[in-house]
Amino acid sequence: MRTLSAPSTGLAAPHGAPFAFDADIAKDGGTFAISGPDASGRRLTEAFQLRERTHNGYLDLHAEVAARFGTRVPRNRRPAGVPAFRAPYLPLLTENLSPRVLHGYGDPAVLRVAEEDGTAWYWLVATSNDAPDSFPVARSRDLRAWELTGFVFPQGHKPRWAADGEGVSDYWAPEMHCVGGEYRVYFAARERDGHDLSIGVATAARPEGPFTTPDQPVLRGGVIDAHVVMDDDGAAFLFWKEDSNGVWPGLLHRLIHEHGRLIAELLEDDEDRRTLSLMATLWPWVRGLEPMECFFVQQPLVEAVTSRFSAVRGRLRALLEREADAEVREAVAAVLHAMRTPIWAQRLTPDGRGLAGERTLVLENDQEWEAHLIEGVWVARHGGRNYLFYAGNDFSTADYGIGVAVADSPLGPYRKQPQPLLRSTAEWWGPGHPSVARGPDGDPWLFLHAFFPGRTGYNEFRALLAVPLVLDGDDVSVRAAE
């Protein structure tokens, strides 16, 4: 195998993998030399350059490798068809309000706050990823003209417990709620030690801040997408997603590296077997990367599995039953457990900084269109019903969409609609992470983010959109704004 002239890490194909790929990776992660069989079976060695260590940089790299070795081309690098789905999306914010807002308005949470004079402001908080200023706060009278009022955590004022820095910190999914006379922003961020995702809270007397935050998170252990629901007695419940979809790819990646023979048992076609064979080779290098860069590298593995998610889970269950090796059975069981993405709810303490009582399982991924995850829940109470809106599938692709489930109680049990309420259209891709507030017409409106067509991925711009809702018993639909 040809090696690189710069210092590098040499990786050999795992024993038993259907296709034998070796790799040399430069110490700076910028150049990859891969040896393996091309689509005709001829063995070759090819060097590839990673132009930048971003999501799109890795997607380009994966596409170049696929062209030479017959591995999977990422969805975002395949010829894009025009989605047939139509929806009356109303664009509200389609450009950054300030140079300090870097990535638009992902995971938008909109709160309508009535004033004493009968007018109202709409307040928006949104995801900022690894930007220096975390969680932009904007307001509007009419949802058309917006002004940036600041940030929940301006540069230099991040929580003590949370990591900070480009490519390291992930400040995700803030939600602002008025509870007990104060404004609380619940959010997810990575901890300084270990970089696990945790949920924190910041409080202020006014929606624009300034915000203060405790020295410790509210909830730890790989959790994101906090949402607050008030019951009929005025008690506040925290809803959250267990971020297991960020766990199973690593567990499966390690499993196929240590037991390459399992690749052929999990997937049938050569393209995906080639993909997982190459991924298995790369595991010793991948496991040392920061969490989001791991996601970038593992995208072909994730797509190979989620494109036939139910079938792969079925094969893992069958493998669990017949496998003789106890170590393999334990590893397979861990992968299967992590392929569930549960949404939990638990009562908040009166100060909003802790949890009390037992948690309740509210929802999990069990529909084919959801694939490996559901996330970003928001419960809207209307007409004696509880409408739980959520996102499903891969946020970085046009397969992402918004589903809905209905229940008589805020904690369920919820009845899901069998198909997503909102999907990608020709104009907007990857609609997701909904919130609900009363619109200018007095009816419930759904607020969401979406990408411009063909411009999806981590740190790509996401616009703020809205659709008015029609809530009628168990029936939920959308209509055009008047």
Side-chain angles (χ1 to χ4, degrees), residues 163-175:
D164 188 22
E166 185 178 357
V168 176
S169 62
D170 289 305
Y171 284 78
W172 292 345
E175 280 194 8

Side-chain angles (χ1 to χ4, degrees), residues 408-424:
D408 299 321
S409 166
L411 299 183
Y414 280 91
R415 305 173 291 277
K416 285 183 181 178
Q417 288 191 351
Q419 297 297 325
L421 176 70
L422 295 170
R423 297 176 182 265
S424 294

Side-chain angles (χ1 to χ4, degrees), residues 241-300:
K241 170 199 170 188
E242 188 175 316
D243 198 44
S244 51
N245 62 279
V247 174
W248 73 258
L251 296 176
L252 180 62
H253 203 165
R254 177 180 176 180
L255 178 63
I256 61 175
H257 171 75
E258 296 178 349
H259 306 278
R261 63 180 172 84
L262 300 180
I263 295 171
E265 298 194 45
L266 297 178
L267 296 165
E268 292 181 343
D269 62 88
D270 278 356
E271 178 185 78
D272 287 335
R273 287 179 174 179
R274 286 173 177 272
T275 299
L276 264 65
S277 294
L278 175 57
M279 287 290 113
T281 298
L282 298 179
W283 170 247
W285 173 72
V286 172
R287 67 186 177 189
L289 300 176
E290 292 291 342
M292 285 312 299
E293 192 168 1
C294 278
F295 167 72
F296 303 157
V297 178
Q298 291 171 335
Q299 180 113 21

Side-chain angles (χ1 to χ4, degrees), residues 20-31:
F21 288 101
D22 300 320
D24 245 4
I25 304 175
K27 290 294 187 183
D28 64 1
T31 307

Side-chain angles (χ1 to χ4, degrees), residues 175 225 227 239 343 363 375-379 388-391 433-434:
E175 280 194 8
D225 293 354
H227 175 58
F239 284 54
I343 304 295
L363 214 66
E375 59 189 6
V377 304
W378 186 286
V379 177
L388 189 154
F389 297 90
Y390 65 96
H433 208 115

